[in-house]
Amino acid sequence: MMTLAPQQPTHRDDQEDRVTPPRTDCVADFAGGLTFDIDDRGVSDPAHLVLFLRDSDRKVRLPLTPAGNGRLRAALPGSADVPEGRWDAYLQIADGEPCRLSPGLNDLRSLVDRAPAATADRVAVRIPYGTKHGNLTIRSWERSPHAEAGELHIGDAALEVTVRAYGAEPTPEAYAEFTDRQESAPAVRAGLTPDGRGGLRFTVAYGELRPGTWDVWLRPQGESGPRVRVARLLDDIVEKTPVFVYPRKRVETEHGPVEAEPSYTADNDLSVTVVAVS
């Protein structure tokens, strides 16, 4: 159990400190690692920061060690196996019951405009954030290969996407692919061209997409290679949906008038929604 330094029990601030969830400052590094700092509150027993993957029995235990100035520190290296999902953060003292951690200061500067080496075969992203209940959670992505979405150009009748591939070198057979999430329409292919900055560019006419939700993929080695979800992961924004909002475009098609709108899913994957309109 937690061992606290002697306190005056009549002091209200001390009583509040006992029940307030520990605040945790996080620093993200370029390689996908995280460092956690927690006030030690006089802890003398062995302590761990424990990450629990939601809807799973998986967990990651990180030892907390003194870091000076009354702080305990744990480190999650970028090479650690932290499967994609949401990991809730807890403090565990010895064999005691884990208690939820609350978010403190998040230093995510190293994630801004992050661009891994072109030869990277794996992309690891971990972004700490505060939940609506005031708890600390880590959003993790691990993808190999990965297709990072760049700029989107919203035309009156077409969508142009720039993308950079990691872990799968594009070949002359490469193409982009749009698939209907309900599998009620055949996939739509789009050819690739260099974007002049080491990435690729492709365009799809909205008229080629029937009403529905279309997921965007990269096929860097053609039909014989992997199908890689196009996503925007390499920045400091944990959820793109409320931040990257794109205009709807009304288009006349052979299937009738539609409105088309690109957006990011809850997992930050790129999709296009097409809705029939009157």
Side-chain angles (χ1 to χ4, degrees):
M1 61 182 294
M2 182 180 292
T3 302
L4 297 173
Q7 303 287 339
Q8 295 296 326
T10 58
H11 197 294
R12 186 170 180 271
D13 290 342
D14 294 335
Q15 293 173 342
E16 290 180 350
D17 186 62
R18 291 170 183 260
V19 299
T20 302
R23 284 170 53 87
T24 306
D25 297 335
C26 298
V27 179
D29 67 38
F30 184 87
L34 289 174
T35 301
F36 305 88
D37 278 7
I38 306 173
D39 288 337
D40 69 13
R41 298 188 175 188
V43 172
S44 60
D45 294 324
H48 288 80
L49 187 147
V50 187
L51 300 175
F52 291 92
L53 178 60
R54 288 186 191 174
D55 303 318
S56 168
D57 58 0
R58 296 199 62 162
K59 64 182 178 182
V60 175
R61 286 173 57 86
L62 305 172
L64 283 158
T65 58
N69 298 319
R71 305 283 275 171
L72 297 174
R73 178 170 295 166
L76 177 71
S79 58
D81 181 20
V82 184
E84 186 161 328
R86 297 180 189 272
W87 294 75
D88 297 326
Y90 287 76
L91 171 65
Q92 185 174 27
I93 308 298
D95 296 325
E97 188 71 19
C99 68
R100 206 67 165 88
L101 291 169
S102 64
L105 298 176
N106 289 334
D107 184 350
L108 308 180
R109 289 173 293 178
S110 65
L111 303 183
V112 179
D113 297 328
R114 179 184 173 200
T119 56
D121 60 359
R122 169 180 172 272
V123 168
V125 178
R126 288 80 179 254
I127 303 179
Y129 70 98
T131 70
K132 63 182 180 181
H133 300 297
N135 297 317
L136 175 63
T137 293
I138 310 301
R139 184 63 171 95
S140 173
W141 290 267
E142 289 190 0
R143 297 196 177 181
S144 179
H146 171 57
E148 177 71 9
E151 296 178 357
L152 304 187
H153 298 279
I154 316 298
D156 289 336
L159 170 67
E160 181 183 275
V161 180
T162 59
V163 66
R164 185 180 294 267
Y166 297 96
E169 182 69 23
T171 67
E173 291 74 32
Y175 60 88
E177 185 175 63
F178 294 74
T179 60
D180 177 22
R181 194 172 293 174
Q182 300 300 320
E183 299 182 347
S184 60
V188 174
R189 293 188 181 184
L192 300 172
T193 58
D195 70 353
R197 293 176 291 180
L200 300 167
R201 179 187 295 116
F202 59 89
T203 302
V204 63
Y206 293 132
E208 296 184 61
L209 307 177
R210 295 186 181 184
T213 300
W214 295 79
D215 295 329
V216 187
W217 305 80
L218 182 68
R219 300 296 296 264
Q221 295 162 358
E223 291 184 356
S224 61
R227 187 173 70 164
V228 186
R229 196 72 164 87
V230 176
R232 184 166 184 145
L233 306 180
L234 299 176
D235 57 31
D236 62 340
I237 302 172
V238 69
E239 187 175 350
K240 306 299 189 291
T241 304
V243 177
F244 293 90
V245 179
Y246 300 99
R248 293 183 180 183
K249 291 294 184 178
R250 184 184 177 98
V251 182
E252 296 292 334
T253 75
E254 63 180 25
H255 309 295
V258 301
E259 287 186 345
E261 178 185 15
S263 62
Y264 289 100
T265 70
D267 293 323
N268 293 345
D269 298 323
L270 180 62
S271 297
V272 179
T273 299
V274 180
V275 179
V277 296
S278 58

